[in-house]
Amino acid sequence: MILDPREVPVSNASPATLDHYEEALWRFHSYRGDPLAPMEAALAEAPEFVLGHVFRATLLLHTSEARFLPEARASLAAAEALATRANDRERGLIQAARRYMDGDWAGACRAWEEVLVEHPRDSFALQSAHLTDFFLGDAVNLRDRVARVLPHWHQSLPGYPFLLGMYAFGLEETNLYPEAEAVGREGLALESGDAWGVHAVTHVMEMQARFHEGIDWLRGREPDWAPDNGLAFHNWWHLALFHLERDDEAGALALYDQQIFPAASDDTMAMQMLDASALLWRLYLRGMEVGERWATLADHWQSRAGVENGHYAFNDIHALMAYLTAGREQAVADVVEAMTGVAAGESSNAMMCREVGLPVARGLIAFHRGRYDEAVDALRYSREVAHRFGGSHAQRDLLHLTLLEAALRGSRPRLAAHLANERIARKPASPLAWQLAVRARRVAGDDVGTDAAGPRLASLPG
């Protein structure tokens, strides 16, 4: 029996093949370089390396893009054909990939969990489940799935710091901010190049509106997360959010042009386009004109719409933002039709479309068309279940901001003040939260000199 450096069993692997696997695994964990390249080299040398086939299939599925499904399906078929030569752990990984391929993302997580029960040091199974927990919006398992295996790990094992980065993000998404920051910093002290760990601490600063510190944090650690890193565009997006919190719209837009969406190509990933939509929509809510940027972004979303529409509701909603603001009415209708068709099914994405995607789509469409009270009705309660279609608190905050803006522009200023109070309670250091509260109370005709607790709003942040 062959064991990897974490003492996890591997079938049909020579030392050279295992070296390729370790390189691919490091790239997967660190987001540096292309993890598929060393796996392709392993499979070229050892076509019966079953772990290589299932690794490749799973990574392609994790892109959340339908255009990669044919390749993923071929790799999974190759793994399934070798299943009789695989060990139990590898057959569990194959089963997880099969469930994911068939649209049962929660079932895939259950299969990965069964692998982790027997092999708690299988960092490939762990990160695969962690990413899928993120796509499913399962914050509890983002945290606890890592917590269940951590006692089996120690600092001398390859990949241990990356587990701390994952755990930190799970702690943050369950609102345990001091614990998340401490764990994230612990992991980064061991592996400074963990972009996910940098990202986890960044999320803490975002949730606590520590925007000046957040800018210094990301700028100061830029060599750790920016060069040749698949997560870089997302951390640049976080940096842009910090600039928006301090009302630096020009700085946020410069980051969009230089780092987040500088020049798209056929290789541009949907996750990058998603962040581009999310930043431009925040600027749109502020009334900022962005020229042809919306049209350019809509072109890229639309170039893949025939394949991608209806594949993942979270992506569809961000494509919809671009179509609305670029005036692509047929594209708007097409993506809503695709989500409606998917919603009649039983897949994980069908649930996402039914419970979140379509109500949010109706709200965004109504908002863009100036039907603000209708937008409020669509978004007010769908935001409470929005975690079910994935993303982070920071990403889904866009729905809160749109709802608040709709209430302000429509006939619901008291609801806007109500929602602003909630925002202040969650992010008391946020100038934006206080600005929205003051604006809401002015629109409602309330006295903005004091709040219920007594301090003058004018003396608070922003």
Side-chain angles (χ1 to χ4, degrees), residues 20 23-25 27-28 32-40 55 59:
H20 287 309
E23 173 67 18
L25 194 60
R27 294 188 186 188
F28 180 41
R32 290 191 180 275
D34 177 12
L36 291 180
M39 198 55 73
E40 300 284 3
F55 183 100
L59 260 64

Side-chain angles (χ1 to χ4, degrees), residues 336-349:
V336 171
E337 181 181 7
M339 282 196 290
T340 302
V342 169
E346 298 297 329
S347 68
S348 296
N349 191 48

Side-chain angles (χ1 to χ4, degrees), residues 361-376:
R362 288 192 288 270
L364 297 182
I365 292 168
F367 182 91
H368 180 71
R369 294 175 181 169
R371 303 198 300 267
Y372 299 120
D373 289 345
E374 183 181 330
V376 167

